[in-house]
Amino acid sequence: MRITLVQGDITRQQADAIVNAANSSLLGGGGVDGAIHRNGGPEILAACRGLRAGAYPDGLPAGQAVATTAGRLPATWVIHTVGPVYSPREDRSALLASCYTESLRVAAELGVRTIAFPAVSAGIYGWPADDAARIAVTTVHAVTAAHTATAHPTLTEARFVLFTPDMYQEFHRALATLPA
């Protein structure tokens, strides 16, 4: 399994699954969430409304993940995860790491070969870019390295899709610190 970086728009990624940095309502919002709902079409919103009417009447809690159709996106699935809002007074790193772990768990259940992640919580939720990148890269690396043969037998690529050059550089730095 390889970890790759791309600067670009996650809604244009050809992958089995793309991860949505969703808000807990699952009904769309700004940033990545808004772009996925806009570009994916009404099928995604309908699927999210179904989740709210069933398993998640109060919304999806931070750190968890759930899948829906990708609608009109060039992916099969959207895996929605709710990142924590950054707090300088409370360590929420485990919740952020859980977003990646749970997204990979859902991906494994779906038999996903390629998954594309945004920088969860690093936008409007205010997580410092360097720390968000470190948590994202080390979590995905640890989960896939430890469990590829059993929990993630089909996964061949975890791709981070970063919208800005600055965020791309932060993820590049974090990736460079991983063991070979």
Side-chain angles (χ1 to χ4, degrees):
M1 202 284 308
R2 62 194 162 107
I3 297 175
T4 60
L5 306 177
V6 174
Q7 185 183 333
D9 180 348
I10 198 163
T11 67
R12 296 201 171 129
Q13 293 300 304
Q14 300 243 341
D16 294 330
I18 63 170
V19 176
N20 180 16
N23 65 50
S24 64
S25 78
L26 295 174
L27 302 178
V32 169
D33 193 20
I36 286 173
H37 276 271
R38 268 190 315 279
N39 294 325
E43 299 88 349
I44 296 173
L45 182 57
C48 288
R49 284 188 174 139
L51 289 169
R52 289 298 304 273
Y56 300 99
D58 298 323
L60 185 66
Q64 294 189 17
V66 65
T68 66
T69 178
R72 299 173 187 164
L73 297 173
T76 303
W77 304 100
V78 172
I79 299 173
H80 306 266
T81 190
V82 179
V85 174
Y86 178 75
S87 170
R89 293 174 295 287
E90 180 184 349
D91 184 5
R92 298 176 179 168
S93 300
L95 271 177
L96 182 55
S98 181
C99 292
Y100 294 98
T101 302
E102 287 298 301
S103 294
L104 288 166
R105 179 190 59 76
V106 170
E109 290 173 0
L110 298 170
V112 164
R113 294 178 52 77
T114 55
I115 186 169
F117 290 98
V120 177
S121 289
I124 193 76
Y125 284 8
W127 209 283
D130 61 335
D131 198 42
R134 178 189 59 79
I135 292 168
V137 168
T138 57
T139 301
V140 169
H141 178 264
V143 169
T144 57
H147 302 292
T148 298
T150 56
H152 306 285
T154 61
L155 190 63
T156 59
E157 180 188 10
R159 182 182 317 148
F160 289 99
V161 182
L162 300 314
F163 196 65
T164 67
D166 292 346
M167 192 62 70
Y168 179 90
Q169 286 304 316
E170 292 296 347
F171 273 74
H172 182 73
R173 280 191 276 279
L175 191 58
T177 67
L178 293 179

